[in-house]
Every structure is written in structure tokens, then in C-alpha cells.
Amino acid sequence: MLPSHFNLAEYVLARSASEHPEKAALLVYSEPAAAPEVTFTFAEIEDAVLRIATGLVERGVERGDRLLLRLGNTPEFPLVFFGAIAAGCVPVPTSAQLTSGECDKLLIDSGARLVVHDDHTPLPAERAGVGRLGSEGIAALHKAARGSYADTAADDPAFLVYTSGTSGKPKGVLHAQRSAFGRRPMYRGWYGIGPDDVLLHAGAFNWTYTLGVGLTDPWANGATSIVYTGHRDPDVWPSLLESTGATLFAAVPSLYRRILKYGHIGSHSFPSLRHGLTAGEALRPSMHAEWLEKTGRPLYEALGMSEISTYISSGPETPTRPGSPGRPQPGRNVAILSEEADGTVLGPDEPGLLCVHRSDPGLMLGYWQDEAGTDEAFLGEWFRTGDRARIDADGYVWYEGRADDVMNAFGYRVAPEEVEAALAGHPLVHDVAVTETEVRDGIRLITAFVVPNGDEHPNEGELNDWCHARLAEYKRPRRWVFVHDLPRTPSGKVQRRELAKKVPPHSH
């Protein structure tokens, strides 16, 4: 049962800081074979978080105020993130890859009162009533007196993340303080994590996959978290796994695939690793089989989304089945509902909409300032994930694609409308549609289908430069197809599923 008082930062840090004060909580490496660049014990992490909380309050930041985080992949990111939550504020973590224009949209939509930045990451435009806090200001927060955790309730807002929506406008997903408590089914259902574990996460701090899997859950279990900030060549990871003694490794499937292709690994590699964790993209059975054959250790997959994090997974207590991400984690209430509006719960192997019951403590509070969108996402007591799936008689979930057109790029959800809106402004683009296309088994790329404007024909370099100034890297098309027209319905809507037919044979 959740207590009436619940602060996410306190839940994550207080017990571990009390029971394991001198134990390493966070190790940050910039070189795989060197000593960690930054080391924090649990006592030091909690002390820094509570000083930052005090410093923010002294700067006039009030309970519920949003803080836009533009900190890049720096150790200050998790300290400010949890410090803001400890103070009862609402941090808004953002990717360092976002352009200034993209940041400006999030600043306006979130109504953030303060932008906390590292002096390097692109910033939104300056606006009246919005303060800025750079590296010197952050250093001053560390000098504030140590305070205490805010007296927040379980359903009070804790943090706000943005994810692509079907309209092309990023949607704010507001999570409650209780969301950390709602992650508990993952401990056994996916990780098999305990206080002796050392978890290495391959993601950047600003990604919610890293903030949750890489920091929140290890710290709540007294485990050590490792984050690497150096160059990302695939041959780095095997040596980093060995030098750190990591027992758990979390990454997206595409990174495991690159390690297999470019790294030198075998059953003797990284002897401390028990298993790998993977989420963000579908895990190809053939790739998992190759990893298992070469390393002798499994990969445990999870299916999730920004609105609830992961809720279906395989794990030490849920054997993998090739092609399935696993079963609903223990304690989750998951069902397949009819795609009709009647909300009928379907039986084994009947395909429909994958749904989560609204009683799940890990489920979002709702979409930020979008009551209609929130209401639309629910059908009675069920949250509709937008995924189509079926559940077999053994409880394993079999994914059957998105019910909408949202794409998946390197683990990020990307709305095609957002990419189309950026490209539509190019003077040589008459019309454009964007979707994912498969280049080979299991490999899908964001592809732009461009109708040129008149006789002038844009080249791929020009379009890449155009996107570079307007879109984060993961949102940019990796494949370009020039066409005479786009397939549309009689009402004018692009038929995205017909676009792939326009890709020339053997196009890469």
C-alpha cells in the first residue's frame, strides 16, 4: 500500500543512503579502461540532492513549478532531476540533441519557470518570467544548506516528459510521485536486481530509459549504477563491461547488434555479467540467438512506453520466447481489448488493443494540459497503449504493430507529422510523407517520400542540412525516396502503408 506521504526522490535514495551510506551509488566513466571520472556514494548522492532542493527553493522556485533541464550527458543531470523532485518541483528532462526551436516549443508548452543548463546545450529563446541557471548557478546550489524531502502526496506531479504524438506535436506525459513505486514489478519481473548488482546503462542521462532503469531502480535497491559518457564505438562496450565488473547491462537492441558485428566477444567476455536488458525497440529472435550463442548469457526484453515505462518483460523468472517481449510483470493488470468501442476483454490469441488498468501506480497522471487527449487514451478503466497485440494461453504477449503511425527510431517514438512539418518548409519540397521502411530483416529506417517542387530537384545533402537545423538527430530521415505523387485516400489522408511500395528495388 502507498502511504499518504510519498516523495519519489526520498523513496529512491533515503533507505539506501541510510543502510549503505559509503557504498558506491554512481560511477561515471569517460574512458572504458580508466578509473571512473566521477564517484558518488549513496550518502553523497542524497546530500547533493537535498542541497540542490534547498537551493532551488531559495531561488524562489515553488512547489509544482516546472524546470526545463538542458544539461546534456553530465553528472549534474540526475542530481538536478532528483533534487527538483525532492523540492516538490517538476523537472522536464530533455534530449541534448534537440534544436533551440524544438526546446522553445517545450518551454512554451510546459510553462517552465526556470531553464537549468550546462552552458553548452542548445537553449530555447529567452522569455519574460523564465529564469536561467547555468553551471555557476548549479555550483551555488550545491553550497546551500541540506534540507529535507518535500511533503508530497503519491498523486502529486513528479516529472514531465515529452513524447511524439500522432498530431506531430510532442505530448507532455505527466508522472506522479508514485511512479517510482509503480516500477517495483520490474525488479523481479525483468531485472532480477539486488543490492550486490552493478548496472551499466548505455543511454544518456536525459533519456527516461536511463533515468528509470539506469538510476531510479538500482538506487532504490541499493545497487551501483554506471553511466558512460565517452565515445560510442561498439568495441567500447565489451571492455567497459569487463573493467567495471557490471552484472547487468541495459541498452537498445541496435547496440547489441553493433557489438555483435564490430566487437570481439565470446563466452569468456565480461565474466561478471549475468544477463542483458533490452527495451526501446523490438528484439529480433535471430539477434538474440546469436548473442546467446556467443556469450552464453540471455537478453531479457521489455515492452513499455513513456506513459507507464515497461510493464511486459521476460526475465530470470520468465523464460524468453523468441518473438515475444514476455509476459505482464507480476502485479500488472494487462488485457487485450476489442478494437471496437465496446471495450470487450478478449480471450487467448485474439488480437486487439493492448491495455493497462488505470489502477497501476506506474501509469501517468495524464497528458499535460490535454484533458481531451487523456480522456481519449482511456476506455473505461483501461489505458489504451496504442499497440496491437495478442496474449497466448501461457500469458506471453505477441506484438502486432502500432494502432497509429508513430515510428520507432533508436528507441525513441517519433511522429511522422513532426518530421513532415519540418521538411514541408523547404522551398524545393512540394509534398512530403514520412514513414518507416524495412531495409533488411528487422532493420527499419525513417524514410521521407518527397515530391519535388516543380522542375528543381533537391538533393539529399540539402535536405539533410535542412533537417539538421530543425530536428534532433534521431528524428531525421535516414532514407530518401523522390516520387511524383503520394498515395492518398479520397479524403486526402496519406496512406502510409502504401508508401513502401514506392521504394525502388534494392534501394538503400
Side-chain angles (χ1 to χ4, degrees):
M1 289 288 292
L2 274 165
S4 56
H5 164 87
F6 192 92
N7 182 277
L8 184 152
E10 182 177 16
Y11 170 81
V12 170
L13 294 170
R15 188 181 70 175
S16 293
S18 174
E19 296 179 358
H20 315 286
E22 300 308 313
K23 184 179 179 181
L26 176 64
L27 305 176
V28 180
Y29 287 78
S30 58
E31 295 290 339
E37 185 178 43
V38 177
T39 301
F40 280 102
T41 66
F42 277 107
E44 289 169 338
I45 284 278
E46 185 182 46
D47 187 69
V49 163
L50 291 177
R51 289 180 186 277
I52 288 171
T54 299
L56 289 171
V57 172
E58 289 176 347
R59 282 188 58 89
V61 180
E62 299 179 356
R63 181 84 62 91
D65 282 348
R66 276 77 60 206
L67 279 63
L68 190 73
L69 305 190
R70 300 295 298 147
L71 291 169
N73 199 29
T74 66
E76 293 294 349
F77 205 115
L79 299 180
V80 175
F81 177 79
F82 287 105
I85 294 173
C89 307
V90 181
V92 185
T94 58
S95 169
Q97 298 182 49
L98 297 182
T99 65
S100 295
E102 291 171 309
C103 294
D104 202 46
K105 293 176 183 176
L106 301 189
L107 176 65
I108 295 170
D109 190 76
S110 67
R113 282 194 54 194
L114 184 67
V115 178
V116 186
H117 63 93
D118 57 9
D119 304 333
H120 304 294
T121 306
L123 298 177
E126 293 195 36
R127 297 186 176 277
V130 179
R132 294 197 173 192
L133 189 69
S135 55
E136 290 187 7
I138 295 171
L141 296 181
H142 284 273
K143 298 177 182 178
R146 176 184 169 120
S148 56
Y149 296 101
D151 184 17
T152 51
D155 282 332
D156 284 347
F159 63 96
L160 176 64
V161 295
Y162 279 86
T163 182
S164 286
T166 55
S167 67
K169 176 186 175 184
K171 294 190 298 184
V173 179
L174 185 63
H175 276 287
Q177 301 285 341
R178 57 172 159 76
S179 63
F181 185 87
R183 301 180 65 86
R184 297 197 310 167
M186 301 180 208
Y187 300 168
R188 303 306 309 166
W190 185 21
Y191 310 138
I193 197 170
D196 294 330
D197 275 309
V198 177
L199 190 150
L200 169 63
H201 201 295
F205 281 122
N206 56 59
W207 195 11
T208 51
Y209 184 12
T210 310
L211 289 170
V213 175
L215 297 173
T216 298
D217 298 336
W219 289 351
N221 285 277
T224 300
S225 178
I226 298 173
V227 173
Y228 174 66
T229 62
H231 64 92
R232 302 268 158 172
D233 294 342
D235 60 354
V236 161
W237 301 102
S239 59
L240 190 62
L241 283 165
E242 292 192 9
S243 65
T244 60
T247 60
L248 302 172
F249 179 47
V252 293
S254 56
L255 180 56
Y256 286 103
R257 184 173 61 246
R258 293 177 67 215
I259 292 172
L260 284 170
K261 185 174 182 179
Y262 300 107
H264 302 288
I265 62 173
S267 58
H268 61 282
S269 303
F270 29 82
S272 298
L273 187 72
R274 294 204 313 278
H275 52 259
L277 306 168
T278 176
E281 304 167 345
L283 177 64
R284 278 194 299 156
S286 59
M287 197 213 79
H288 185 202
E290 184 181 356
W291 178 271
L292 192 59
E293 180 184 359
K294 285 193 173 183
T295 70
R297 275 149 291 182
L299 298 178
Y300 293 130
E301 184 180 4
L303 177 66
M305 59 193 306
S306 299
E307 288 85 343
I308 190 174
S309 193
T310 73
Y311 58 101
I312 290 165
S313 57
S314 55
E317 299 173 2
T318 301
T320 60
R321 288 193 180 178
S324 169
R327 294 188 293 214
Q329 295 160 354
R332 305 283 192 194
N333 189 353
V334 176
I336 303 294
L337 267 61
S338 168
E339 294 186 61
E340 305 299 327
D342 59 4
T344 302
V345 176
L346 302 178
D349 286 319
E350 292 186 272
L353 291 176
L354 184 59
C355 299
V356 181
H357 199 269
R358 69 162 68 236
S359 61
D360 194 306
L363 194 59
M364 67 172 182
L365 285 169
Y367 294 117
W368 175 250
Q369 294 185 328
D370 186 3
E371 185 176 347
T374 302
D375 290 342
E376 186 180 350
F378 285 87
L379 182 59
E381 293 299 302
W382 295 97
F383 169 72
R384 297 182 285 189
T385 66
D387 289 326
R388 298 186 74 255
R390 59 184 175 84
I391 299 178
D392 67 20
D394 295 325
Y396 280 82
V397 174
W398 300 89
Y399 182 67
E400 298 198 355
R402 290 290 300 171
D404 53 38
D405 294 319
V406 173
M407 304 175 293
N408 188 309
F410 307 106
Y412 296 91
R413 292 180 66 200
V414 180
E417 292 88 349
E418 185 178 5
V419 184
E420 290 163 358
L423 279 167
H426 192 286
L428 298 183
V429 173
H430 172 70
D431 203 0
V432 62
V434 174
T435 191
E436 288 179 302
T437 60
E438 190 171 70
V439 292
R440 56 184 182 275
D441 182 33
I443 308 299
R444 301 179 67 81
L445 299 178
I446 292 180
T447 304
F449 294 80
V450 176
V451 179
N453 192 4
D455 295 331
E456 287 193 73
H457 201 289
N459 61 54
E460 292 184 15
E462 290 174 316
L463 295 175
N464 281 325
D465 289 343
W466 181 268
C467 291
H468 185 274
R470 292 163 176 80
L471 294 169
E473 183 179 4
Y474 63 86
K475 300 178 185 178
R476 299 171 201 159
R478 294 296 191 272
R479 199 180 192 192
W480 301 90
V481 178
F482 296 97
V483 296
H484 294 294
D485 54 31
L486 299 176
R488 294 184 181 274
T489 65
S491 63
K493 184 177 180 180
V494 173
Q495 295 176 299
R496 298 189 194 281
R497 295 184 183 182
E498 297 296 313
L499 287 171
K501 297 177 182 178
K502 290 183 172 285
V503 178
H506 312 298
S507 173
H508 296 285

